[in-house]
Amino acid sequence: MPTPHEAEKQHTGPEEADRPPPMSSHDVVPPAAPSRNPCCLCWCCCCSCSWNQERRRAWQASQESKLQPLPSCDACTPPSPEEVQSWAQSFDKLMHSPAGRSVFRAFLRTEYSEENMLFWLACEELKAEANQHVVDEKARLIYEDYVSILSPKEVSLDSRVREGINRKMQEPSAHTFDDAQLQIYTLMHRDSYPRFLSSPAYRTLLLRGSPQSSSEA
């Protein structure tokens, strides 16, 4: 017959039975994994953490010595009458002319679509960059400024091109935005360029170079 002490050991209540066994001094709880803010490790630069701020400052420092702003009409060499007339021959001739790009950009600003030209110019500067670190930083800022749906300067790109950019941004290169640049170039060509040719700004430039205006002067 068990002693009262042994009977007490054999009988345990439901609460005691469900209670986990006590930890021994040899049991070690593994440390919790440090929490990471995935935003600060992504490529979209969507947060304002110190990591992104430092990378942005590094890129901006490189820009001060590498990039020049787009010259305005006053800074460009005044286009000849023949050059102004050639802008109506093809969109390529307009875009290859510094004065033509400046005039066309001013026109886009009146239509609230200047971001198309800014994006195209940013892509041109990216393709001319050979320093991989600068390429990486500039690609991230181009994405943030013109591709991100959170940007007020977002350009119009279809889903196929956006998906391609998202894949390429894992390892940015100087040609990450080639497809997007072509799509925006085509959009400006088909949509904005015809209206530019019939705009008062372009017609005024044509009249300035016409033989009649020269004789009146």
Side-chain angles (χ1 to χ4, degrees):
M1 182 174 180
T3 64
H5 180 69
E6 292 174 343
E8 184 179 355
K9 286 186 176 180
Q10 292 174 359
H11 177 73
T12 56
E15 294 181 357
E16 186 175 350
D18 296 337
R19 187 180 303 163
M23 293 178 57
S24 68
S25 60
H26 299 289
D27 295 329
V28 178
V29 179
S35 60
R36 295 191 307 177
N37 182 359
C39 177
C40 295
L41 299 177
C42 68
W43 43 258
C44 63
C45 295
C46 55
C47 67
S48 58
C49 62
S50 60
W51 183 83
N52 274 327
Q53 291 174 350
E54 291 176 359
R55 294 173 73 86
R56 178 184 285 271
R57 283 196 296 267
W59 181 82
Q60 290 175 340
S62 67
Q63 292 293 88
E64 293 178 357
S65 59
K66 292 178 179 295
L67 298 183
Q68 298 296 329
L70 180 71
S72 64
C73 291
D74 296 335
C76 291
T77 302
S80 65
E82 292 76 18
E83 183 178 3
V84 173
Q85 293 174 5
S86 71
W87 298 345
Q89 296 174 7
S90 73
F91 186 58
D92 289 343
K93 290 186 177 181
L94 172 67
M95 292 294 284
H96 279 85
S97 165
R101 289 195 303 269
S102 184
V103 174
F104 186 55
R105 175 179 169 180
F107 169 76
L108 293 177
R109 190 179 302 120
T110 66
E111 293 201 332
Y112 304 100
S113 58
E114 184 185 12
E115 66 273 4
N116 291 332
M117 175 65 81
L118 295 175
F119 173 70
W120 186 87
L121 290 170
C123 293
E124 287 293 291
E125 293 172 349
L126 177 65
K127 290 190 292 187
E129 182 57 60
N131 185 304
Q132 183 56 43
H133 177 71
V134 176
V135 166
D136 180 75
E137 298 304 323
K138 185 182 292 187
R140 294 174 190 275
L141 287 181
I142 290 176
Y143 185 97
E144 183 182 64
D145 289 342
Y146 302 109
V147 181
S148 171
I149 60 175
L150 301 177
S151 173
K153 296 185 293 184
E154 177 194 6
V155 296
S156 179
L157 300 172
D158 62 36
S159 59
R160 178 189 63 83
V161 172
R162 285 183 177 275
E163 291 172 0
I165 291 175
N166 289 339
R167 289 193 301 269
K168 294 174 182 177
M169 282 299 295
Q170 302 301 323
E171 295 183 3
S173 73
H175 299 280
T176 294
F177 301 98
D178 281 3
D179 291 341
Q181 186 187 23
L182 177 60
Q183 189 168 99
I184 295 302
Y185 185 91
T186 303
L187 175 64
M188 292 190 293
H189 183 190
R190 295 179 178 177
D191 186 53
S192 303
Y193 176 58
R195 292 197 298 273
F196 167 74
L197 295 180
S198 59
S199 68
Y202 181 62
R203 290 185 177 276
T204 299
L205 288 175
L206 286 175
L207 290 175
R208 287 177 182 175
S210 64
Q212 182 178 359
S213 62
S214 300
S215 60
E216 290 178 354

